[in-house]
Amino acid sequence: MEPGYPVEDIAPIAILMDELRSEDVQLRLNAIHSIPTIALALGPDRARDELIPFLQDSVDDEDEVLLALAEELGRNFEEYIGGSEYAHILLGPLENLSAVEETLVRDKAAESITKVAAVLSQKQIEDYYIPLVKRLSQGEWFTSRTSSAALYAAVYPKVSSTIQDDLRKGFLALGSDDTPMVRRASAKWLGPLVAHFSQQHVLSDGLPIYRRLQSDDQDSVRLLTIEGLIAIAKRITPAEVKEHLLKQIKQSVGDKSWRLASAVGAEVTREELVALYVNLLKDNEAEVRTAAATQIPGSGFSSFLEKEVILARIIPCVRDMSQDASQHVRAALAKEISGVAPLLGREATIEHLLPLFLHLLKDDFPEVRLNIISKLETVNNVIGIELLSESLLPAIVELAEDKSWRVRQAIIEYIPLLANQLGKPFFDEQLGNLCMSWLGDTVYSIRESATVNLKKLTDVFGVEWAKTSIVPKVMGMGSHTNYLFRMTTVQAITTISPSLTLDIIQSDVIGPLLELSKDPIPNIRFNVAKALEVIATSHGNTPEGRKFVAEWIVPALERQKGDTDADVRYFATRGLQKAATTSA
């Protein structure tokens, strides 16, 4: 671990507090993304004693900021606070995030808690993790109880048999909770938990929990019990399946509000269940249609059907669902429909599915558009990129300015695939300006993705293309009056410089970058120091590179060591250390 700042040089907690209290959501979000840097600067002791308690109290914010915090704490953050022996300290702020109102934040917090659990010792689990699970499971608000269901499976195999007994009892209580959302969560997480039960406890504890949930009066609870059914069936003998589960399986197939498992086998599916499944796709309840849509793709129900049956029985339903009144049905369909393409083949996909893709790409609901875009690679593998891009290019250009930033981000991630298949001339004509426009997006995540996109494009088309098509435009933004554009220039160079040649760095990059090292905004100056460090480590491993580092980068970083801002001094010092290593 690298040393922290000298104590007299920085008050990073005060800086972070100021940024987190800003009225600018983007500034608060940037502050959250910078907490690894802050923790590194503080050193492990102060990170534990000052930073973590501060973050534990910082749960009154926009959902986007809280989501980022939950994610950052699950990214091996224990490395910044002294290693795994202190990892349990992270459970405090994550426990608070597990009880907030927004589902996405709670889910991410629970996910991060289970990541922390992976590095905890058995003693840490029993002293800190298990009490946390109990507190959340018995919380006054349903939000905490809902989150707790996701936490049982991660540690069940690691604790003593006595604690395992308590965990099974605690999970049984969740399955009987008064709130449907809690029972839904227990239905979702029963399967992963039962997978760790002994065979004895599968029958004595897992089966009663499953039966309770499978007979729930809420459709949405019963919908989620399939994974638990499969997990139990895998752990017991065929005779025990017949004795204990056959009744539930039959009820599940016939229950209009529960959705079908493909586990019954191809022959039975073809002969008995197609009509039932079509009825589910047309069910009066939107929740039922949504669940049925998840069984459409090649890994689900349709994988047991011949192409002719899919075309005759399933595709008409899919066509109707693409115009369903429920946005959730359309979103579920959009997420899964691409999986049918490999079953139909090229010609049938072009005729029957491609028009539906184009229709769903224009849907009013952002989640529908996002789900279609994120799965286009499956369709590309079937019909080919040229036809797909020809059909989708107008939609892609339109979606590049979509109001939903997640849709714009999905488009960005799809661009390198298009570029690789279409070639430079077509790309430059149709999509080049589009890729550069994302660098000026108002959302940080889009600008960050746009810089990564430029690196991927450089890897696809080569450095000579980057020299003429990317570098001049990126460096030109460095003189913009808006500091966000200047910051984007620095971040883009940091990202793409390892893919450039030393000649391009010397002729086109280093001059404007050194000008930005004198920028009035401290954030830009210390990001320049980071960029110089990356350039030194990427290009300082040859005689020419070492000479360049000594003549250009080292003097610039030496100047920044005397900067008035502590962050700039810190990153300049670190950059000099790395530059010295490369030139040694």
Side-chain angles (χ1 to χ4, degrees):
M1 184 64 67
E2 299 189 34
Y5 289 113
V7 173
E8 66 273 12
D9 268 358
I10 189 169
I13 294 298
I15 295 172
L16 186 61
M17 288 175 66
D18 287 344
E19 292 185 346
L20 284 173
R21 289 169 177 164
S22 167
E23 294 183 2
D24 186 343
V25 174
Q26 189 61 53
L27 191 58
R28 298 201 302 277
L29 187 61
N30 291 345
I32 291 298
H33 285 305
S34 73
I35 60 172
T37 302
I38 295 293
L40 186 65
L42 286 170
D45 292 340
R46 292 184 67 194
R48 292 194 302 270
D49 296 341
E50 299 176 45
L51 180 61
I52 297 301
F54 174 70
L55 294 175
Q56 189 161 347
D57 294 333
S58 302
V59 293
D60 184 18
D61 207 327
E62 298 289 333
D63 294 335
E64 186 180 8
V65 177
L66 298 181
L67 182 63
L69 176 58
E71 187 172 13
E72 290 292 343
L73 292 177
R75 290 179 170 174
N76 301 315
F77 203 83
E78 69 277 358
E79 296 177 3
Y80 300 103
I81 61 172
S84 59
E85 64 181 297
Y86 297 103
H88 61 274
I89 294 173
L90 300 175
L91 298 177
L94 287 171
E95 179 177 355
N96 290 348
L97 292 168
S98 297
V100 301
E101 185 175 352
E102 172 54 45
T103 303
L104 287 176
V105 177
R106 295 201 310 271
D107 288 348
K108 182 58 68 175
E111 179 185 331
S112 292
I113 288 174
T114 59
K115 289 180 179 177
V116 172
V119 302
L120 297 178
S121 66
Q122 181 174 356
K123 187 174 189 315
Q124 286 174 304
I125 289 172
E126 295 186 356
D127 290 349
Y128 300 102
Y129 190 100
I130 297 300
L132 175 151
V133 172
K134 290 182 178 179
R135 287 192 298 273
L136 290 176
S137 298
Q138 298 168 10
E140 179 180 358
W141 298 102
F142 79 88
T143 51
S144 66
R145 302 198 301 277
T146 300
S147 297
S148 71
L151 307 181
Y152 282 73
V155 296
Y156 185 88
K158 301 179 181 181
V159 297
S160 66
S161 59
T162 301
I163 295 179
Q164 286 181 344
D165 292 342
D166 291 339
L167 289 177
R168 291 195 304 275
K169 292 176 184 175
F171 201 87
L172 175 62
L174 294 178
S176 305
D177 196 275
D178 291 337
T179 306
M181 285 75 82
V182 179
R183 301 199 301 276
R184 231 178 355 245
S186 61
K188 176 181 178 181
W189 290 102
L190 175 61
L193 178 60
V194 165
H196 297 300
F197 282 5
S198 67
Q199 189 170 11
Q200 171 194 346
H201 291 133
V202 170
L203 292 173
S204 65
D205 296 84
L207 194 57
I209 297 173
Y210 165 74
R211 283 175 172 163
R212 167 66 187 83
L213 294 168
Q214 196 272 335
S215 62
D216 198 278
D217 59 359
Q218 291 284 327
D219 298 345
S220 57
V221 175
R222 300 199 299 278
L223 278 167
L224 294 170
T225 56
I226 180 59
E227 295 301 330
L229 171 61
I230 292 173
I232 293 172
K234 286 180 177 179
R235 298 298 311 283
I236 60 180
T237 67
E240 288 170 330
V241 170
K242 186 174 182 179
E243 178 183 354
H244 298 291
L245 293 178
L246 189 57
K247 179 181 177 182
Q248 280 74 29
I249 292 173
K250 289 181 177 179
Q251 287 177 345
S252 297
V253 173
D255 182 357
K256 280 193 67 179
S257 62
W258 197 85
R259 306 317 51 144
L260 203 42
S262 59
V264 295
E267 184 177 349
V268 174
T269 300
R270 286 193 299 268
E271 293 180 0
E272 304 291 341
L273 301 183
V274 172
L276 276 175
Y277 183 60
V278 168
N279 287 339
L280 300 179
L281 292 171
K282 298 179 177 180
D283 198 278
N284 291 330
E285 298 178 32
E287 202 164 35
V288 173
R289 299 195 301 277
T290 300
T294 65
Q295 287 296 314
I296 285 175
S299 59
F301 184 88
S302 295
S303 63
F304 292 91
L305 305 178
E306 293 89 350
K307 174 181 174 180
E308 292 73 19
V309 177
I310 295 174
L311 288 172
R313 305 296 301 277
I314 306 300
I315 292 301
C317 297
V318 168
R319 194 173 294 115
D320 291 340
M321 294 174 79
S322 70
Q323 303 182 53
D324 198 281
S326 168
Q327 62 189 28
H328 302 293
V329 173
R330 302 195 306 275
L333 177 68
K335 186 176 182 180
E336 308 294 353
I337 188 175
S338 62
V340 182
L343 302 177
L344 295 183
R346 188 174 190 272
E347 297 305 319
T349 295
I350 293 171
E351 181 180 353
H352 298 284
L353 292 186
L354 193 54
L356 299 182
F357 296 147
L358 295 173
H359 174 75
L360 291 168
L361 276 173
K362 299 176 182 178
D363 197 278
D364 292 336
F365 189 43
E367 198 75 18
V368 177
R369 305 192 297 274
L370 177 64
N371 289 347
I372 280 286
I373 296 162
S374 63
K375 297 296 183 71
L376 284 178
E377 187 171 359
T378 304
V379 183
N380 165 58
N381 292 335
V382 176
I383 69 173
I385 192 68
E386 292 188 12
L387 178 60
L388 186 59
S389 61
E390 180 183 326
S391 303
L392 294 180
L393 196 58
I396 287 173
V397 173
E398 184 177 343
L399 291 171
E401 300 178 351
D402 197 273
K403 289 182 290 185
S404 169
W405 69 268
R406 291 195 298 149
V407 172
R408 300 199 300 277
Q409 188 171 44
I411 285 289
I412 292 173
E413 292 170 356
Y414 185 63
I415 289 296
L417 173 65
L418 277 172
N420 189 46
Q421 300 292 328
L422 297 177
K424 283 185 283 189
F426 185 90
F427 178 87
D428 286 340
E429 180 182 348
Q430 300 290 341
L431 297 173
N433 290 334
L434 190 59
C435 290
M436 298 306 300
S437 70
W438 283 315
L439 292 171
D441 199 279
T442 56
V443 176
Y444 172 81
S445 295
I446 297 298
R447 298 196 301 273
E448 184 179 42
S449 295
T451 61
V452 174
N453 181 52
L454 293 183
K455 183 182 187 306
K456 291 179 179 177
L457 291 172
T458 299
D459 295 338
V460 170
F461 291 148
V463 292
E464 289 306 315
W465 174 83
K467 177 180 173 64
T468 58
S469 299
I470 289 182
V471 174
K473 296 175 182 177
V474 168
M475 302 316 298
M477 293 171 62
S479 58
H480 201 283
T481 55
N482 187 325
Y483 89 95
L484 286 177
F485 285 84
R486 303 198 301 277
M487 176 70 82
T488 299
T489 289
V490 179
Q491 291 173 331
I493 288 302
T494 305
T495 302
I496 68 174
S497 60
S499 296
L500 301 177
T501 63
L502 180 61
D503 287 343
I504 295 175
I505 296 292
Q506 289 177 304
S507 62
D508 298 285
V509 172
I510 193 65
L513 190 61
L514 293 184
E515 283 299 313
L516 287 167
S517 71
K518 306 168 188 175
D519 197 277
I521 305 296
N523 276 9
I524 292 178
R525 299 201 300 275
F526 80 66
N527 274 284
V528 169
K530 289 183 181 181
L532 292 173
E533 176 187 321
V534 170
I535 291 173
T537 55
S538 301
H539 297 282
N541 52 4
T542 64
E544 296 83 359
R546 285 190 285 273
K547 180 182 179 183
F548 169 73
V549 170
E551 292 181 356
W552 290 88
I553 292 182
V554 170
L557 291 172
E558 288 286 359
R559 285 195 303 273
Q560 287 192 304
K561 270 184 67 178
D563 198 277
T564 56
D565 184 84
D567 287 332
V568 179
R569 295 197 297 274
Y570 170 74
F571 286 108
T573 301
R574 193 181 77 174
L576 283 169
Q577 292 172 347
K578 295 291 181 66
T581 302
T582 62
S583 58

